[in-house]
Amino acid sequence: MYSVKRKQSFDDRSNKETNKLQCKFDQKITSIENLSIEMFYEIFDYLNGYEIYQAFSNLNHHFQQLINSSSLLLKFKINSPSAELYKQLTLINKHKILSFNIRLTYKSSELFTSYLIDSSLDHLESLVLIEFKTTILISLLMKLTCLPRLFSLTIRTFDTWYELSEIYCLIFALPKLIYIKCSPSEVGGAISLPIATNQKSSTIEYIVIDHFCTLPELCAILSHIPQLRYCHFREVYDADPMNIDTTIQIKLFNVICISMKDCEIKFDTFEQLIREIECPLQVLHITNTYDENNYLDANRWKILILNYLPHLKEFSLTYNTDIGNKSVIQLDFERVKSFTSLFWIERKLILGIKISRYHIIYSIHPFKKRWYNINSFIDFSKCTQLTMTYIPDDEHMEFFMNSICTVLSIVKIYHLEFSKRTIISSSLMKILTVLPELDSLKITSLSISQTRYSFIDDQNFRLVSYHNNITKVYLENVKKSEEVYFLLKLCLRMKYLKVNFIYNVDYKLFFRNFLRTITINRHQYLQSLYFQGPKTDFQIINELKEMINREKLLRQFTINRVLNYIHLEWNLI
């Protein structure tokens, strides 16, 4: 997002550093007034201008001079302004206003039009307008052309825009605008902008179209802003696929970033759009909910990137499909599987899959280091993660397992995460039986089945524990220590364990029992424990270190604090 900061000259910055050093070495600061002017400017940069006046205007002569200085630029955030307040802001401080963030109710919106907006607001760079009536908004936009430094404009209303074409024409006429975001509650009619053909064009470089529009409407909007570099669209859909050749008549020679939150156009059309606009694209983010399987054709994406997106540095694709939909059955799994080929691995683009109650979501995204990436070497061919945000009961487990098998027909899963839900140990067992390649397991919360004692001795449990290859386990919310011990018995090849206790725990008792358990059970691989509890401080670490040495629980080990965790690491004997 385009942001506005108070500008400083080279001399200002030099003086700022000098004053900081003087404050640090030449004097002791015993009063807030001893702070440098530049330091106050930095503090004021985080405050609402009205709050600055309330706090400092009548304090003393020093602060009165400070806030009256022409060098101090003010940011105002106003909710339902009264007439007197707005007069004060515009008349007294009009040459010092850097930004306005104004939220109006329908009752107060009429007040805003009765005050002068002219070139005397010569430092106003950012304007945020919230809840303006459409008629008031149009009237205001007509006045904004006189502002010599208006670089950023954000409009968010709960009104339905029927005059969207007129609003965009007024926005494009603003002579200095660089950033624009339009967020109406609804769009009441079509955008009837013609394709721009004249030489006069907008200066806009960043645009956020936070409303739905058709592809022809989108192309018409973009034709008016040839300087565009970054664009984000909330929802774009096909209106007249048969007329696509006449629709795409624009060139975007400067665009380096495109993001579509909900792309509902056919992939054939999307391909043609990328080919025609001829932009030096570096960043592309696409989310498709159109149920168009071609978006998951890795080879078509590969050809498109190699031939038409040679400058692409960052790419992400999200494809959402309904569970049980025929399109899931019709997926060409081989085409999807190609997302794990060398082309994508070399670019560190990773295939991820999420299963919710009603959807399977496929995503291709840049590699991001996760909790289980504890080594410097990362095998990008084994980074595929399955995230489950829904865990069914026993009655619906079979249908859920079919969804997992659908995923496994596409790709091997090496990392599994149960997110936001508690999983019962018996359900965990069933899921692990079909995921033999797992290297890491993350569980938000675990509930041990009521039949846990007979279940542990069951042959199925032994088979799963002996055959799974899980080496890293993270239990995010531990309620009872037995949950940790269950996972120790289940994951015999575990090397790394991370646990967060959400209740008070006897640290010494837990560590003593834990270390004795792994010794008695000959847990030969485990050598690293990250432990977090309600209280983690250096005193506890010293006490644990003394206890381990005194009771000879480990021979060679290190224990220290890493962020909010106690990290215990020991050598295998």
Side-chain angles (χ1 to χ4, degrees), residues 38 101 144 198 204 214 263 281 372 466 481 539:
E38 287 75 15
N101 185 315
L144 297 183
N198 57 5
I204 293 172
T214 66
C263 178
L281 205 60
Y372 48 77
Y466 289 148
S481 296
Q539 180 180 349

Side-chain angles (χ1 to χ4, degrees), residues 326-368:
K326 290 182 179 179
S327 62
V328 177
I329 301 174
Q330 295 170 353
L331 275 177
D332 187 335
F333 296 137
E334 288 302 318
R335 293 195 300 175
V336 181
K337 190 175 182 179
S338 294
F339 278 116
T340 61
S341 66
L342 185 61
F343 173 84
W344 303 96
I345 292 173
E346 288 177 340
R347 288 158 178 78
K348 299 181 182 179
L349 292 169
I350 309 302
L351 175 63
I353 302 171
K354 180 184 293 186
I355 299 179
S356 64
R357 185 168 187 173
Y358 302 109
H359 301 94
I360 299 179
I361 303 169
Y362 302 89
S363 66
I364 312 299
H365 54 271
F367 170 79
K368 182 179 180 181

Side-chain angles (χ1 to χ4, degrees), residues 233-268:
F233 315 119
R234 189 182 79 183
E235 182 178 347
V236 183
Y237 63 95
D238 279 328
D240 185 7
M242 301 301 294
N243 197 32
I244 188 63
D245 291 329
T246 58
T247 295
I248 305 176
Q249 300 176 356
I250 59 172
K251 305 297 180 183
L252 301 175
F253 297 117
N254 299 301
V255 171
I256 61 174
C257 176
I258 293 178
S259 173
M260 291 188 181
K261 186 177 181 181
D262 190 355
C263 178
E264 297 189 19
I265 59 180
K266 291 184 178 180
F267 190 65
D268 291 344

